[in-house]
Amino acid sequence: MAIISDEFDGQICSTGYCVLQPNKMHLLSLNFLYFQLLTKKFTNRVAALQLRGVNHPRTSWSSDLFSQLILLPPLPEQRAIARALRAVQAARETRLREIALERERKAALMEHLFTHGTRGEPTKMTEIGEMPESWEVVKFGKVIISSAFGPRFSSNYYDPDGSVATLRTTDLDNEGNINYSTMPLAKLELDGFKQHLLKSNDFLITRSGTCGIAAIFEAFEKPVLPGAFIIRFRLSNEINPLFLKYYVNSQQGRNRILQLAGGAVQKNLSGTSLRTFQIPLPLLVDQDAIVRSLIACDSKIAALDHEAHLHDKLFRAMLEELMTGRLRVGALATPSS
């Protein structure tokens, strides 16, 4: 749902949309109507009325939507409710804009750090691009101790009461952050999967679907297996796994690693090709300094994201309370819109 801005006035929209306008009796605020249509009660009622179309569900606007009842407080109170909800929305949108800016700053910082380092030393041109003179270029295989593909097993073993969690590509975001809460559980005999269980600081790369995303496994309350579309690597102590994660997920690293992917329709990375992937290798002290700088960026983004999430929860709570009349804003009502 959306309120159409002035720039789209008079334009034509798809028949998949129902265009609503308050009547000329001036009993209904457009903004209040918009928020009323966002309530769980209204959306659940409309969803229950959907008809099965040939290609997708649809709703009969005239007979279904227009027959739905809504609460209609006095117009000044409608406007006060809409202002209160819009203020919370605006606060969340501000945080989302700040997050976008922080991500842009992080991307620019990554490009600078992987090109110039942290010590201001002269740079050199290498086969993988410009980098500080003291850095080496090595094949990824040089820093690998061991690797393994995630195991396959029947989906029949998935069970909410399972003793083993499975990390899938869908549990990772584009920056390699792992959402441990979404990992499904399975009932498996661990003896047959011990060599596949993840350990702290394991380096992971998605090899199919969302191809080339790097992540670091930290820890979880249950044993965790990587999914079949993830390759697990254990690295030597000459490289900080987080440094490698940041490099692979940077614009430079992502562009290069995707060039290794094969397949006409769905791209795939092989363990063999990844071992030949050339990576920058600074001294550990320089790796650690870069990691600290980027962790600081991630911490700020995470804090802003948490604030945005709290604003969203506040909006949802206020929406339900205000639109049911359990919370009143009559004292805030003014004649102006």
Side-chain angles (χ1 to χ4, degrees), residues 103-265:
R103 287 202 167 112
E104 290 178 10
R105 292 190 188 102
K106 178 186 172 184
L109 178 61
M110 291 172 83
E111 182 178 2
H112 175 82
L113 291 173
F114 291 124
T115 301
H116 300 284
T118 60
R119 293 189 284 145
E121 63 182 294
T123 61
K124 61 184 178 184
M125 186 56 66
T126 71
E127 56 266 54
I128 64 171
E130 187 180 4
M131 65 179 59
E133 280 189 348
S134 65
W135 292 20
E136 294 182 67
V137 175
V138 301
K139 290 182 179 179
F140 180 35
K142 181 179 184 294
V143 297
I144 295 174
I145 295 175
S146 67
S147 65
F149 287 87
R152 293 182 182 273
F153 55 85
S154 171
S155 60
N156 295 331
Y157 289 102
Y158 285 112
D159 189 303
D161 297 320
S163 57
V164 182
T166 301
L167 177 63
R168 308 158 299 175
T169 58
T170 52
D171 300 315
L172 277 62
D173 67 17
N174 195 53
E175 296 182 353
N177 299 307
I178 298 174
N179 186 346
Y180 293 94
S181 67
T182 60
M183 296 188 301
L185 301 179
K187 281 189 174 180
L188 298 169
E189 293 294 334
L190 284 182
D191 288 345
F193 296 94
K194 282 185 177 179
Q195 70 273 27
H196 293 286
L197 293 176
L198 294 177
K199 297 181 180 180
S200 179
N201 281 329
D202 276 353
F203 181 80
L204 312 171
I205 290 186
T206 58
R207 68 178 183 89
S208 188
T210 51
C211 205
I213 296 176
I216 305 297
F217 177 76
E218 295 170 346
F220 191 62
E221 61 193 23
K222 295 180 183 288
V224 178
L225 290 170
F229 290 159
I230 292 176
I231 308 178
R232 183 270 299 160
F233 297 93
R234 297 211 169 109
L235 308 179
S236 68
N237 58 11
E238 61 186 312
I239 192 163
N240 184 327
L242 281 170
F243 171 83
L244 186 57
K245 171 197 165 184
Y246 282 124
Y247 176 74
V248 171
N249 290 338
S250 70
Q251 193 65 53
Q252 305 102 301
R254 183 68 56 79
N255 289 341
R256 291 185 53 242
I257 207 164
L258 288 178
Q259 293 174 11
L260 300 176
V265 179

Side-chain angles (χ1 to χ4, degrees), residues 69-88:
L69 299 176
I70 63 171
L71 295 176
L72 195 64
L75 191 58
E77 188 169 354
Q78 293 179 40
R79 290 169 175 160
I81 288 171
R83 281 196 301 273
L85 291 171
R86 187 69 194 98
V88 179

Side-chain angles (χ1 to χ4, degrees), residues 33-47:
L33 174 62
Y34 167 72
F35 289 121
Q36 182 72 249
L37 299 182
L38 289 179
T39 61
K40 283 183 181 180
K41 185 176 181 180
F42 187 88
T43 55
N44 288 342
R45 285 205 311 253
V46 172

